[in-house]
Amino acid sequence: MNTDKSAELYSRAVEVMPGGNSRTAVYSAPYPVYIQSGSGARVTDADGVERLDFLNNSTTLIHGHAHPEMVKAVTEAVSRGASFGMPTPVEVEYAEALSARNETFEHVRFTSSGTEAVMMAVQAARAYTKRPKIAKIAGAYHGAYDAVAVNNDGSGSLINHAVTGNPAGVVDNTVVFPFNDAEGALAVLREHADDLACVLIDPVPWRIGLVPADKEYLDALRAFCDESGALLISDEVGSYRVGYHGAMHLLGSEADLTVLGKVIGGGMPIGAVAGRRKFMGVFDPSQGSPALPHSGSYNANPVSMSSGVTSLRLLTPEAHERIGELGERARTAMRATIESAGLDWQVNGLGSLFRVIATSAPQGYTSPAAAMKRLYWVLLDNGVHIGDSGLGCISTPMTDEDITAFAEAFDTSVRQVLAEGRA
């Protein structure tokens, strides 16, 4: 695989950025492949190699790269002005479009990233309940905000641990509980019921396997929040794409506040908090100083709003159904390869999302993670890009032929990884 220009770019990058990087998730040893451009379901790297892109900027680009209608919307918005110190009509249009997707989205507030939206949702819960603690699923990832950057490594351990430098006072106010274990979760939550402002979940958490939450579990959390007064927050920055109304609706439950991002921006920086009017009222400045003041120079900027309106318009129920069917085809093909190859690996996911997990290390590899990293590079060499954690997704430009090509490349790549280890 020719990556000479990527190697050259990385040698320059390490001179001006720590580790040559501004985003840990895109780093790969010995250096990442640099992308020059993208179109539809494909990307072209700095050396001119074209590949099918099944990662789509960590599942953000549900309409693929440079979709003509997205390009038109952004170009026209920029031509009118990139941002202003006043609201714009498209902010209202976009909030109306989001509210119409889910009956719990009575009010919407925009941010510039998913991390910021999680932060504001947590702060809103604290402002509404006047309680200090939050609870989150052990191992789940919710961005870089201190309060949620606790026990987010996918391990599932109930022992609190946080990113380096996170103050003990912050960590002590974050409670972790098990995933898809209703009885175990309730046992933890009830110990802190009087102090909990919110229960924060991801209904399809990718870092702990991309396994959907089951109905019994969601019902138990919903009932606990109703009884205790804590708010149930659904972080759907990544999982909102699984259905037209979002993940919680698809799984048969509802949240008090929902955090959105990624696909709702059509590729532009965005985040949003949506929820019931009474909870969102903590942001309301119209009656004097709000309980929770919230500003941001780029919140609801007209470029992101215009891109988001277009993204939602293209995300029809039919579009969701089609990419969900393609996602199931991809998962079925991967499972067939894994079974045929004699591996005990897992393929999980829902709708247009998938994740392949190396649950054991095949011969010649020191760990399952090492085998997955190798599979990532072999897939790149065979013309397909997924995440080096095994994460992938379907975009609307993809066709049946693209899924067939992916299935063939995955089969070839898995067998090549196994053959290398046994050589």
Side-chain angles (χ1 to χ4, degrees):
M1 180 168 58
N2 178 19
T3 57
D4 291 347
K5 290 187 178 178
S6 286
E8 178 187 344
L9 285 164
Y10 184 70
S11 70
R12 291 165 52 192
V14 294
E15 297 299 320
V16 289
M17 291 177 278
N21 184 266
S22 284
R23 184 178 169 190
T24 304
V26 302
Y27 174 76
S28 292
Y31 53 82
V33 173
Y34 284 72
I35 298 301
Q36 190 70 39
S37 64
S39 179
R42 290 167 170 76
V43 291
T44 302
D45 70 18
D47 289 277
V49 179
E50 184 180 271
R51 297 178 178 87
L52 275 169
D53 185 11
F54 278 82
L55 187 57
N56 290 289
N57 188 26
S58 296
T59 77
T60 295
L61 300 166
I62 199 165
H63 301 301
H65 301 276
H67 189 289
E69 293 192 46
M70 306 303 306
V71 172
K72 181 174 182 287
V74 169
T75 302
E76 289 181 353
V78 169
S79 73
R80 293 189 294 267
S83 58
F84 306 96
M86 293 172 282
T88 61
V90 71
E91 175 185 0
V92 180
E93 180 185 355
Y94 190 25
E96 290 171 340
L98 267 179
S99 294
R101 309 281 280 214
N102 188 307
E103 66 175 14
T104 69
F105 297 177
E106 292 177 350
H107 273 184
V108 179
R109 194 166 186 92
F110 296 107
T111 68
S112 295
S113 71
T115 284
E116 186 191 353
V118 169
M119 178 178 71
M120 298 316 302
V122 168
Q123 290 187 4
R126 284 175 164 159
Y128 183 82
T129 63
K130 298 179 174 59
R131 297 175 181 176
K133 291 187 177 182
I134 73 167
K136 68 176 292 289
I137 293 170
Y141 176 79
H142 298 283
Y145 176 45
D146 280 357
V148 300
V150 175
N151 199 307
N152 64 359
D153 62 359
S155 67
S157 168
L158 294 182
I159 299 174
N160 263 20
H161 55 275
V163 296
T164 304
N166 208 343
V170 173
V171 177
D172 291 345
N173 276 309
T174 301
V175 176
V176 295
F177 59 94
F179 180 60
N180 265 354
D181 174 2
E183 184 176 343
L186 292 176
V188 173
L189 295 173
R190 284 170 178 156
E191 291 182 13
H192 304 272
D194 293 339
D195 294 320
L196 282 177
C198 64
V199 175
L200 174 65
I201 65 169
D202 180 340
V204 193
W206 75 267
R207 190 164 281 190
I208 49 178
L210 208 67
V211 175
D214 62 47
K215 186 68 164 57
E216 178 191 5
Y217 182 72
L218 292 176
D219 287 347
L221 297 182
R222 179 68 271 173
F224 169 80
C225 288
D226 291 340
E227 293 166 5
S228 69
L231 273 59
L232 183 59
I233 301 177
S234 179
D235 177 357
E236 301 190 20
V237 169
S239 57
Y240 180 70
R241 64 153 48 227
V242 300
Y244 183 82
H245 305 289
M248 283 289 271
H249 184 278
L250 185 67
L251 296 172
S253 188
E254 65 177 38
D256 298 312
L257 297 175
T258 300
V259 181
L260 305 168
K262 292 188 185 292
V263 301
I264 70 163
M268 299 302 295
I270 202 165
V273 182
R276 296 292 187 185
R277 184 184 301 257
K278 63 179 179 179
F279 305 127
M280 295 293 290
V282 298
F283 295 110
D284 183 1
S286 67
Q287 305 301 313
S289 180
L292 181 58
H294 170 230
S295 289
S297 298
Y298 296 104
N299 291 356
N301 74 82
V303 180
S304 291
M305 297 292 95
S306 299
S307 181
V309 166
T310 306
S311 180
L312 286 189
R313 178 170 53 79
L314 295 170
L315 275 178
T316 62
E318 294 75 19
H320 272 288
E321 182 179 2
R322 191 181 74 82
I323 60 175
E325 290 172 352
L326 293 180
E328 185 57 31
R329 270 197 62 200
R331 291 188 292 269
T332 298
M334 286 187 285
R335 289 173 184 136
T337 286
I338 287 167
E339 182 178 2
S340 175
L343 293 168
D344 60 356
W345 295 3
Q346 297 175 1
V347 177
N348 300 326
L350 184 67
S352 57
L353 289 169
F354 66 79
R355 186 177 175 194
V356 55
I357 302 172
T359 52
S360 61
Q363 182 179 332
Y365 292 92
T366 56
S367 67
M372 183 56 61
K373 293 281 188 183
R374 182 56 188 153
L375 178 61
Y376 165 80
W377 283 104
V378 175
L379 273 168
L380 280 179
D381 203 25
N382 285 315
V384 168
H385 178 221
I386 66 170
D388 62 8
S389 66
L391 179 67
C393 63
I394 311 300
S395 61
T396 58
M398 288 181 177
T399 64
D400 288 337
E401 290 75 19
D402 292 330
I403 303 303
T404 298
F406 169 76
E408 292 173 352
F410 184 81
D411 189 83
T412 298
S413 299
V414 166
R415 296 181 192 284
Q416 183 177 332
V417 166
L418 293 179
E420 288 176 353
R422 293 166 182 158

